[in-house]
Amino acid sequence: LDMKQEPKFYWDDTTKTATCILADGNNIFTGIASVHPDDMDMANEKTGYQIALWRAEIKYYTHIRDNELKPAFKALKKVMDEMKYSKKFNPKSYENRALQRNFYQVESDLDTIRYMLANTKQRLKEYISEKEKFYQKIRANRTKKDNVGQKPSI
């Protein structure tokens, strides 16, 4: 999993939208994070960039899984299954061992990308949830400060 270049980030201060662009040489993956209307008071580039990055990575991992690894896995499995039914099949042949090695490598890569995809989705979900809790605390503290010095209503 190798990106050909560093992620590029863009921040639109008017709309409070962060964009992250990842490129692997042949494809471009874009992640966008727009501030929720309720969070306008907390909008910042750094948070937007992190969310946009993870969203771009999710698109990248999904692409690798669906367009590279799954087709390779299916093709190798098909060849292996066809070879097994040949009368001349030799399980100890160099060709069969090389095919098996490739098959298990792709299978391992597929497991890895599935893990990375699930992990990135989970991190994104937790990050947004933690940010929300943090913002609620800040807002509660602001409200407390604003109410200090005011006469209690009777």
Side-chain angles (χ1 to χ4, degrees):
L1 303 174
D2 183 32
M3 285 289 143
K4 295 284 183 231
Q5 57 197 56
E6 290 294 310
K8 288 187 172 52
F9 293 99
Y10 303 94
W11 175 253
D12 183 335
D13 203 44
T14 315
T15 60
K16 307 292 187 208
T17 302
T19 304
C20 175
I21 297 172
L22 298 177
D24 70 357
N26 302 319
N27 305 288
I28 292 174
F29 307 93
T30 306
I32 297 171
S34 298
V35 69
H36 190 280
D38 295 347
D39 294 335
M40 267 309 174
D41 59 329
M42 300 289 174
N44 71 78
E45 267 176 79
K46 194 175 175 201
T47 299
Y49 286 168
Q50 185 59 66
I51 292 169
L53 173 64
W54 279 330
R55 287 182 175 160
E57 285 178 345
I58 287 167
K59 287 179 182 176
Y60 172 65
Y61 297 148
T62 301
H63 165 76
I64 297 294
R65 180 194 67 193
D66 295 348
N67 300 317
E68 293 181 18
L69 295 175
K70 277 185 177 181
F73 182 80
K74 277 183 174 176
L76 289 167
K77 178 116 177 78
K78 185 174 190 229
V79 171
M80 284 172 44
D81 289 346
E82 287 175 8
M83 279 178 50
K84 282 181 197 171
Y85 296 112
S86 166
K87 288 179 181 148
K88 297 178 183 175
F89 177 64
N90 175 3
K92 292 182 180 167
S93 72
Y94 170 79
E95 293 81 3
N96 183 54
R97 290 201 318 258
L99 190 60
Q100 296 271 339
R101 220 179 4 261
N102 275 289
F103 176 79
Y104 291 118
Q105 182 59 58
V106 169
E107 187 177 45
S108 172
D109 291 349
L110 199 47
D111 287 343
T112 301
I113 207 81
R114 284 179 176 140
Y115 169 79
M116 292 171 77
L117 187 53
N119 187 42
T120 304
K121 285 180 179 179
Q122 185 61 36
R123 283 171 43 212
L124 175 59
K125 188 177 171 184
E126 287 171 5
Y127 185 77
I128 291 171
S129 174
E130 289 302 312
K131 281 290 178 185
E132 181 56 29
K133 288 177 195 165
F134 177 65
Y135 293 164
Q136 295 303 341
K137 280 183 187 171
I138 290 175
R139 288 185 185 115
N141 286 339
R142 282 181 188 164
T143 306
K144 269 188 217 165
K145 269 188 207 164
D146 292 346
N147 291 336
V148 170
Q150 293 180 0
K151 290 183 185 176
S153 55
I154 301 171

